[in-house]
Amino acid sequence: MRFHRVLVATLVEIFASIGRRGLRFFPLLILRLGRGSLLLFRILAGLPRACLRPGLVVKQIHGLGVLSLPIIAVSGVFVGMVLGLQGYINLVDYGATAQLGALVALALVREMGPVISALLYAGRAGSALTAEIGLMKATEQLASMEMMAVDPFQRVLAPRFLAGLIAMPLLACIFTALGILGGWYIAVWQLGVDSGSFWSQMQASVQFVDDVVDGVLIKSLVFGFVANWIAVFEGYDCLPTSEGISRATTRTVVNTSLTVLALDFVLTALMFGGN
Amino acid sequence: MSGSRKLEFTVGLFVAIALLAFFVLAMRVSDMSGLAEGDSYTVQARFQNVGGLYVRAPVTMAGVRVGRVSAIELDPDTFEAVVSMALDRRYPLPTDTSASILTAGIVGEQYIGLEPGGMDEYLNEGSEIVLTQSALVLERLIGRFLTSLNE
Amino acid sequence: MSPVTEASGTDGSLVTVRDLRFLRGDKIIFDNVSMDIPRGKITAIMGPSGTGKTTLLRLIAGQLRPHEGEITVDGQRIHHLERAQLFELRKRMGMLFQSGALFTELSVFDNVAFPLREHTRLSETMIRILVLMKLQAVGLRGAHRLMPAELSGGMARRVALARAIALDPMMIMYDEPFVGQDPIAMGMVLNLIRLLNDALGLTSIVVSHDINETAQIADRIYLIADGRVVEHGSPAVLRDSESPWTRQFVHGLPDGPVPFHYPGPPYREDLLAGS
């Protein structure tokens, strides 16, 4: 009898605490959105000056883009190979392996390319960006810059945001192209699909404006905007302690991933849903 | 400061590789190497039923692709489907060419197949193909088959 | 306690604080605080940890706004300045943060050169000469190629000091410069603060809780506790003071106005409450 009462009390407490956390969640979210938007405006305001210092931006493109190349390139090849293999397995029963090229290319160009490279970017470059900015905040480097009459938004935050925004579509292009090559390798070299039909069916199905521009370019630009915004915000907003920084980097990866996936659904519906 | 020189070089290389990847996507993967605006002229044809025909479906003659479907609309007066096709200027077609909506394979995609006529005049921008054959609708076929069985 | 006013107030004082009131949330950090920082001298602001001494430096620098009261720097009411004017004024103020706050991705040389490169159009040759001169003043000219990560804490602070005097400011604020130093490093810092103040005609504000070190170089000391100025005057005045606050602080007495015991129930009751 006593056990029964304890059990009910515990369950009630669990639900109550979930409810409490849920209620706290939304006001907090609105507050963060507000702070994040203010930060975004200040960054955008600092962008023109940042463009006048291309050296800073180039250095950041190196840190965010070039250093992400290994993971992007290797992942691209593997994803393409998996698509080739899975596609073959599913098409071979219908004798439709000639369509494999089209399948791999469409999957990559429309979805996998921009989405997966954005997720990888969040994990590698986004978290590094958050950690770097958080560390600068914790060691008072940003404050000392302000004391030296240098606006940290112009000097530190805007160049990084801009560089990330440039790097994202570049990485997505590389990921997608390598993915298609990976799929081609598996399909033609390993599985015996005819090379001619692989490429010609692909070319017949993939449209430049509707698929490549919409998919790879526009999607990756949108994802890049969001990923870099979140990364910079979490770094700037974090508690200036080592625990605060590590929580902020986790939040960057989680929030960027969720936002990218949600946005992908919206963009896909807008771009490809009409058919 | 050779450090920053090296950095600029790697960034430049990165951007170059990305642009190369983009061109591969544009040229080899997508159909951008297809018809450009200047190479094509638009021709129309009316059908009773376009079936599953879609915009950008291929238009072929003797199995060779000579164009693409550029628009499909409904005529509000005659309730016929008006299909616009962008045809390659390299292949002039006689004015009595006929257009049929065919299916690739048995359950494949639909496309327009052209049969040449014998006239000396050729189709131009804005011409209309008069001889048309609508798509075969499976249900009507079965219905006809069943009624013919009954007889 | 009325503030010391020299002649007509702003003549001898570089910074004047009048009736300052500052809160953080509900907590009163400063309540009706007034002080005068005389030109060309070293003024120390001292008090127990957590009394908001760093906050005071930020208020003087214009990074925080007081809720009530006025702060005037070199005749300008600092919180009524436009952003551009504030930045101009900040170029003439140097601040040494507790941890040095050097920019981790720049070398020692580039750190000291930073304010010169950002705010002047001097040639690289000129900048090199100036940077080496500043580093020579703090005894670290030979270290100019090192990265901040390779420096000890004391060396990092000295580089930060060189950076703070790069633009030949009219005043420098030191935030806890003696914390965590071995006696040799401590002696170096003391020496430098006094030397630079006199040689460059600076006004120095030192925030610290190290009474012995500070008393060796300060010309005037303000003792702050509970958000109020408890006592002020030369080190000799403070040493001979009869006020219990001052006596406890200056002589490091374990108990006095700042109690040893954290507030709680009576001892006997607490021990017997267990059963």
Side-chain angles (χ1 to χ4, degrees), chain A residues 58 62 170 202-203 206-208, chain B residues 10 26 28-32:
Chain A
V58 164
H62 179 266
L170 297 178
M202 184 195 297
Q203 285 189 345
V206 177
Q207 294 155 30
F208 179 66
Chain B
T10 42
R28 288 261 147 265
V29 170
S30 78
D31 62 351
M32 203 162 100

Side-chain angles (χ1 to χ4, degrees), chain A residues 42 53 56 59-60 132 135-136 138-153 155-156 160, chain C residues 58 61 63 83 87-88 90-91 93-95 97-99 101-106 114-115 118-119 163 173 175:
Chain A
R42 286 179 81 177
R53 315 255 325 236
L56 290 176
K59 185 161 176 227
Q60 294 309 318
E132 188 188 9
L135 199 62
M136 288 180 92
T139 51
E140 296 179 299
Q141 289 179 47
L142 295 179
S144 74
M145 209 180 271
E146 269 190 30
M147 275 310 301
M148 286 187 264
V150 173
D151 182 7
F153 279 88
R155 187 72 172 55
V156 171
R160 282 168 171 75
Chain C
R58 295 205 146 162
Q63 271 188 334
R83 197 174 162 79
F87 266 44
E88 275 305 309
R90 289 228 188 110
K91 287 184 205 172
M93 296 158 66
M95 179 138 163
F97 286 82
Q98 198 166 328
S99 55
L102 295 178
F103 302 131
T104 40
E105 78 262 17
L106 298 179
F114 182 81
E118 292 290 320
H119 293 306
R163 184 177 67 178
M173 297 185 277
D175 189 2

Side-chain angles (χ1 to χ4, degrees), chain A residues 67-121:
Chain A
L67 293 182
S68 303
L69 253 188
I71 186 174
I72 292 284
V74 173
S75 306
V77 171
F78 276 118
V79 168
M81 294 204 299
V82 166
L83 278 173
L85 187 55
Q86 278 285 14
Y88 180 85
I89 292 171
N90 284 292
L91 288 175
V92 75
D93 292 341
Y94 300 92
T97 54
Q99 300 290 334
L100 190 54
L103 184 147
V104 168
L106 281 175
L108 277 168
V109 165
R110 287 184 180 179
E111 295 294 332
M112 304 279 195
V115 172
I116 298 188
S117 53
L119 295 177
L120 291 172
Y121 180 86

Side-chain angles (χ1 to χ4, degrees), chain B residues 123-143:
Chain B
L123 293 170
N124 279 323
E125 171 77 32
S127 305
E128 180 170 335
I129 293 182
V130 178
L131 299 162
T132 62
Q133 162 100 40
S134 295
L136 294 173
V137 181
L138 204 56
E139 293 85 355
R140 298 239 175 96
L141 268 183
I142 294 178

Side-chain angles (χ1 to χ4, degrees), chain A residues 40 43-44 47 157-165 225 228-229 232:
Chain A
L40 184 65
I43 290 183
L44 293 177
L47 272 182
L157 298 178
R160 282 168 171 75
F161 180 80
L162 184 61
L165 196 57
F225 188 91
N228 287 293
W229 176 17
V232 172

Side-chain angles (χ1 to χ4, degrees), chain A residues 219-234:
Chain A
K219 273 194 183 180
S220 63
L221 269 173
V222 172
F223 296 155
F225 188 91
V226 162
N228 287 293
W229 176 17
I230 293 179
V232 172
F233 172 67
E234 293 291 351

Side-chain angles (χ1 to χ4, degrees), chain C residues 65-124:
Chain C
R65 298 195 83 105
H67 289 81
E68 280 172 36
E70 282 286 344
I71 299 183
T72 310
V73 176
D74 198 26
Q76 303 186 48
R77 285 146 77 208
I78 200 151
H79 297 102
H80 295 263
L81 290 178
E82 301 247 320
R83 197 174 162 79
Q85 293 171 303
L86 181 61
F87 266 44
E88 275 305 309
L89 190 58
R90 289 228 188 110
K91 287 184 205 172
R92 300 195 288 145
M93 296 158 66
M95 179 138 163
L96 186 59
F97 286 82
Q98 198 166 328
S99 55
L102 295 178
F103 302 131
T104 40
E105 78 262 17
L106 298 179
S107 69
V108 164
F109 184 94
D110 290 326
N111 261 284
V112 180
F114 182 81
L116 293 167
R117 290 198 179 121
E118 292 290 320
H119 293 306
T120 70
R121 292 194 200 282
L122 295 172
S123 67
E124 276 303 308

